[in-house]
């Protein structure tokens, strides 16, 4: 990732995404970063409200309207029991990016940093 001139990284974290049933349990390391200008990520994102695909992207802070944390249930339809899943939903002028996150607390941590950056920029 290239940082732009006069850009400050305020938050960086790896976010693990675990595979579904029948998987060996291995985790892929994906990440999210918040700077004073944008949110940058490389992770699995939800497309068509059902499939996760690997993507990397950039969301300019001025285009983000809100970030929320959601909790739901998931099963892969292969005999596994349902498990809790957590998602970070970033709404921007281009739509909503849905990123799976390992815990609800991780989502609140990211949302808090975003709020602090947005407040600092507004001053």
């Amino acid at each position: 990732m290239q940082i732009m001139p006069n850009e400050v990284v305020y938050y960086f974290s790896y976010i693990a995404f675990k595979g579904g049933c029948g998987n060996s349990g291995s985790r892929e390391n994906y990440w999210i970063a918040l700077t004073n200008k944008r949110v940058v990520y490389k992770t699995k994102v939800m497309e068509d409200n059902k499939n996760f695909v690997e993507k990397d992207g950039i969301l300019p802070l001025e285009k983000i309207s809100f970030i929320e944390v959601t909790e739901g249930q998931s099963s892969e339809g292969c005999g596994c029991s349902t498990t809790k899943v957590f998602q970070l939903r970033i709404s921007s002028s281009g739509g909503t990016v849905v990123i799976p996150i390992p815990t609800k607390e991780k989502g609140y941590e990211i949302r808090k940093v975003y709020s602090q950056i947005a407040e600092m920029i507004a001053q």
Side-chain angles (χ1 to χ4, degrees):
M1 165 175 76
Q2 287 188 332
I3 301 300
M4 298 185 321
N6 299 321
E7 186 171 28
V8 178
V9 177
Y10 286 100
Y11 182 86
F12 177 88
S13 180
Y14 287 101
I15 48 177
F17 182 87
K18 187 173 182 177
C21 296
N23 191 315
S24 63
S26 64
R27 292 179 177 263
E28 296 288 338
N29 279 325
Y30 298 111
W31 53 267
I32 187 167
L34 283 72
T35 76
N36 60 326
K37 297 179 185 278
R38 56 199 177 146
V39 174
V40 185
Y41 60 89
K42 178 179 180 186
T43 185
K44 294 214 179 211
V45 297
M46 183 181 286
E47 283 195 341
D48 306 325
N49 292 322
K50 59 183 177 180
N51 295 320
F52 284 98
V53 295
E54 186 175 307
K55 285 195 173 183
D56 56 72
I58 297 171
L59 299 169
L61 284 185
E62 68 269 7
K63 302 287 185 182
I64 296 173
S65 54
F66 67 87
I67 294 180
E68 67 182 1
V69 180
T70 61
E71 178 180 329
Q73 299 290 323
S74 175
S75 68
E76 297 298 317
C78 54
C80 289
S81 60
T82 59
T83 58
K84 281 187 181 180
V85 294
F86 304 100
Q87 298 173 335
L88 187 67
R89 300 174 64 84
I90 305 173
S91 182
S92 70
S93 59
T96 301
V97 175
V98 179
I99 300 173
I101 51 176
T103 65
K104 184 176 8 178
E105 291 75 23
K106 176 64 75 179
Y108 291 143
E109 178 182 284
I110 294 167
R111 187 176 70 180
K112 180 180 178 182
V113 173
Y114 165 76
S115 296
Q116 291 171 340
I117 294 169
E119 185 177 306
M120 182 180 59
I121 290 171
Q123 293 178 357

